[in-house]
Amino acid sequence: MAKGRAGAISQVHDLMDTVDLPPFPWQAGEKKRFIRIHPDLITGRRFAVADPDIWRTPLSDGRCASPE
């Protein structure tokens, strides 16, 4: 979670930097503003990333059907 000050992005060069970012809206509909949060506090949890070999099974390297 990020807590901080939010403000609308109004400069064209700042807006162009946000267009290619991966976040996307959760709700459908027209979006007329981009908002930037200047975080004062960030909290959350850390999750340990498991080694991919732990999840390996005998079928992991099996052939997949071709996409249709």
Side-chain angles (χ1 to χ4, degrees), residues 1-2 9 11-12 14 25-26 29 37 44 48-49 58 60 68:
M1 177 185 302
I9 297 174
Q11 300 295 321
V12 173
D14 289 336
W26 291 354
I37 298 173
V49 178
S60 294
E68 293 183 15

Side-chain angles (χ1 to χ4, degrees), residues 10-33:
S10 57
Q11 300 295 321
V12 173
H13 64 276
D14 289 336
L15 181 61
M16 296 307 290
D17 290 340
T18 64
V19 171
D20 293 328
L21 293 174
F24 56 91
W26 291 354
Q27 296 291 322
E30 186 176 358
K31 308 296 186 247
K32 296 182 180 183
R33 296 186 185 144

Side-chain angles (χ1 to χ4, degrees), residues 28-41:
E30 186 176 358
K31 308 296 186 247
K32 296 182 180 183
R33 296 186 185 144
F34 282 85
I35 304 294
R36 174 179 289 140
I37 298 173
H38 299 277
D40 295 324
L41 176 67

Side-chain angles (χ1 to χ4, degrees), residues 2 5 7 9 12-15 20 22 26 39 42 46-47 51 54 56-57 59-61 63 65 67:
R5 295 166 281 116
I9 297 174
V12 173
H13 64 276
D14 289 336
L15 181 61
D20 293 328
W26 291 354
I42 298 176
R46 290 182 184 245
F47 296 93
D51 183 6
I54 292 172
R56 204 158 197 63
T57 70
L59 299 177
S60 294
D61 294 326
R63 291 183 175 244

